[in-house]
Amino acid sequence: MSNQCNGCLEALVPRGLISISQNVSDEMISNEGLCPLKINWNDGKISSLEFLRASNPKLNKLALPRLPEPHAHLDKAFTWNEYPNLKGTYEGALEANFREHKSRNFDRVKHRADRALNQAIRNGIRAIRSHVDSLHPAGEESWNALLDLQSNYRELIELQLVALAPLNYWTTTTGRLFAKKISNLGGLLGGVCVPPFRKNELRDSFKRMLNLADSLGCGIDLHIDESECFPAAGLNVLAQVLDEMTISIPITCSHASSMGLLTSRAIARLADRLANHKIKIVALPLTNAWLLGRLPRSSSTRRPIAPVSELQRSGVIVAVGGDNVQDPWFPAGSFDPISLIASSLPLLQLEPWNRLGLAPFTTSSAYLMNLNWDGIIGIGSPADLILLEAESWSDAIASLPQRKILINGLWMDQNHSFEKTI
């Protein structure tokens, strides 16, 4: 990185990500909602913004805030080559995941998570929420490795950790003690709710987990309804339980894939209930489109994916995450937020030039993760930017352009890998 923390740039910026009060005429905004803007910064903070009335020559830079990744699995990233899931099924991924657990140790987890964080930083990610397999014998070593990296990378990227375990684990004495430890570490409680399940048992597990988390002041992030059957069965039980409780902790439901298989009217009703309970959703279209809805020797024309637009319409905060990267659950991925936007567009039919189309990758992700900065570029906000070699959204998502990364007012040297000693 350079040693200069003051500077300026001229670039196109999405109007919905600019905090500035002056009026903007229509001719200053492109048909993709991009505004030519001069950004100045001092001592790592944005010091002034100025709309440019004319760009001559035409600007070929597009600036975005560094972006959050609301759902990842750093502990298992880059394990596909050793533990492939060639059938591409949920069951195959689970089986390969269990085999990987047997060889998991501190050094392996730290090595691949270190690689992942380096990649994420170079690509423009400023915060990652990673779920951590916590119940198998190597769970403790996974946590130790990630906590080590959390400390090492604190100045470059925020790492949030979620303890992933079966829901009923949190009802045990061991689970309650572990939950207290996770809370003290600033982590979240996680769990998996995938059908088939017994409704009464699930209700009891939800109640106990919610009461435990609420007593600890610890947020929850669930894997729920990642399935092509029993549409939204888990979400409906959770909503019923919350109808009978009063809790103050934040609740995130990741996946919610099978909700997309409900009728339009049922989706709207459930979305209203989720909004009423302030439940936030992380849609994970890449992994879910890959794993779910497979048919023998056929191409499924209906994939279980969270209904993002319908959820937004009801006022639910929805983020979009990359989920798995080159592991048994998904063979692709690269911790690249621009690639995530490009790959998600045809699946979710979100338009990044519209505010609600861009929000799941920017402001909604930041809000869901409770980050200090919402990603709106304004005076006093962090000078943390992705500068793309692109003159339009089409340029940005067509071929993943070259980029420069500004962190705390400093340009990251593209030749510097930020490698840490393991």
Side-chain angles (χ1 to χ4, degrees):
M1 299 175 73
S2 74
N3 57 9
Q4 173 66 6
C5 59
N6 305 326
C8 69
L9 61 83
E10 294 182 358
L12 298 167
V13 180
R15 180 65 183 94
L17 294 179
I18 304 170
S19 174
I20 193 167
S21 58
Q22 73 182 71
N23 293 327
V24 185
S25 59
D26 289 342
E27 64 267 19
M28 294 167 59
I29 306 175
S30 77
N31 58 5
E32 291 185 339
L34 299 174
C35 300
L37 193 67
K38 183 176 182 180
I39 304 172
N40 293 279
W41 63 88
N42 290 294
D43 298 324
K45 301 287 186 182
I46 303 296
S47 56
S48 67
L49 299 174
E50 178 187 351
F51 282 113
L52 303 176
R53 295 197 173 273
S55 297
N56 191 16
K58 187 176 182 180
L59 288 177
N60 62 352
K61 311 285 187 188
L62 195 162
L64 299 170
R66 285 208 300 151
L67 298 174
E69 169 52 78
H71 189 113
H73 291 268
L74 297 180
D75 54 340
K76 65 187 71 171
F78 308 117
T79 56
W80 172 273
N81 287 340
E82 288 184 273
Y83 302 96
N85 169 23
L86 299 178
K87 291 184 179 180
T89 63
Y90 185 98
E91 294 76 17
L94 196 60
E95 187 274 332
N97 204 150
F98 286 148
R99 284 193 289 113
E100 182 269 316
H101 287 169
K102 296 177 182 178
S103 68
R104 187 179 291 196
N105 58 40
F106 178 93
D107 289 338
R108 281 174 175 257
V109 173
K110 187 169 183 180
H111 176 77
R112 54 194 183 228
D114 185 74
R115 175 184 170 187
L117 291 172
N118 271 278
Q119 214 166 289
I121 293 165
R122 288 196 301 272
N123 286 332
I125 290 177
R126 64 184 171 101
I128 293 181
R129 178 177 289 185
S130 179
H131 296 249
V132 187
D133 294 349
S134 300
L135 198 58
H136 56 83
E140 184 175 357
E141 297 211 8
S142 298
W143 269 89
N144 289 339
L146 292 172
L147 288 169
D148 207 18
L149 292 171
Q150 183 185 58
S151 176
N152 291 348
Y153 281 92
R154 194 177 303 278
E155 294 183 3
L156 298 172
I157 190 168
E158 179 176 332
L159 178 54
Q160 299 180 359
L161 300 175
V162 184
L164 186 57
L167 288 178
N168 58 12
Y169 174 67
W170 304 115
T171 69
T172 67
T173 301
T174 303
R176 289 192 293 271
L177 290 172
F178 186 50
K180 186 174 181 180
K181 177 180 178 180
I182 295 304
S183 178
N184 290 337
L185 291 170
L188 296 90
L189 303 189
V192 179
C193 175
V194 175
F197 47 72
R198 289 188 174 91
K199 185 176 178 179
N200 288 338
E201 290 181 4
L202 182 61
R203 283 174 57 87
D204 183 64
S205 292
F206 275 147
K207 283 183 179 179
R208 289 169 179 261
M209 181 187 191
L210 290 165
N211 280 322
L212 173 63
D214 197 46
S215 70
L216 296 170
C218 184
I220 287 175
D221 194 333
L222 300 168
H223 285 61
I224 191 167
D225 291 329
E226 186 181 8
S227 171
E228 62 260 26
C229 60
F230 303 101
L235 285 170
N236 274 302
V237 173
L238 177 61
Q240 291 166 10
V241 169
L242 289 171
D243 286 342
E244 304 165 3
M245 302 180 68
T246 301
I247 62 172
S248 58
I249 55 167
I251 301 173
T252 298
C253 288
S254 292
H255 292 288
S257 321
S258 65
M259 184 179 175
L261 301 178
L262 295 170
T263 64
S264 297
R265 184 174 296 180
I267 288 175
R269 284 198 302 265
L270 179 54
D272 286 346
R273 294 182 73 191
L274 298 178
N276 181 58
H277 289 300
K278 296 182 172 57
I279 293 175
K280 306 173 190 70
I281 298 290
V282 181
L284 302 162
L286 304 187
T287 294
N288 289 162
W290 168 253
L291 284 180
L292 302 179
R294 286 182 175 267
L295 299 172
R297 299 185 180 181
S298 301
S299 296
S300 174
T301 57
R302 194 177 187 195
R303 307 291 175 86
I305 296 175
V308 174
S309 296
E310 291 89 340
L311 287 161
Q312 289 178 323
R313 196 174 300 134
S314 291
V316 177
I317 299 298
V318 186
V320 174
D323 202 0
N324 303 92
V325 172
Q326 299 174 46
D327 66 24
W329 301 86
F330 187 57
S334 59
F335 295 102
D336 185 340
I338 309 304
S339 176
L340 176 62
I341 293 173
S343 299
S344 298
L345 297 193
L347 294 168
L348 300 173
Q349 296 185 335
L350 297 175
E351 306 85 23
W353 42 88
N354 293 330
R355 182 181 64 83
L356 286 176
L358 186 57
F361 306 96
T362 55
T363 52
S364 291
S365 281
Y367 182 81
L368 181 147
M369 296 174 69
N370 195 31
L371 301 179
N372 290 331
W373 179 37
D374 61 6
I376 298 295
I377 298 171
I379 295 173
S381 65
D384 278 17
L385 302 172
I386 305 170
L387 189 63
L388 301 170
E389 298 281 345
E391 61 183 41
S392 68
W393 269 114
S394 180
D395 274 354
I397 62 179
S399 58
L400 301 184
Q402 295 293 314
R403 71 196 71 182
K404 293 177 65 179
I405 307 300
L406 187 71
I407 303 177
N408 195 31
L410 302 174
W411 289 110
M412 189 180 80
D413 185 346
Q414 292 299 302
N415 296 319
H416 197 314
S417 65
F418 292 107
E419 292 292 344
K420 303 291 182 181
T421 301
I422 294 177

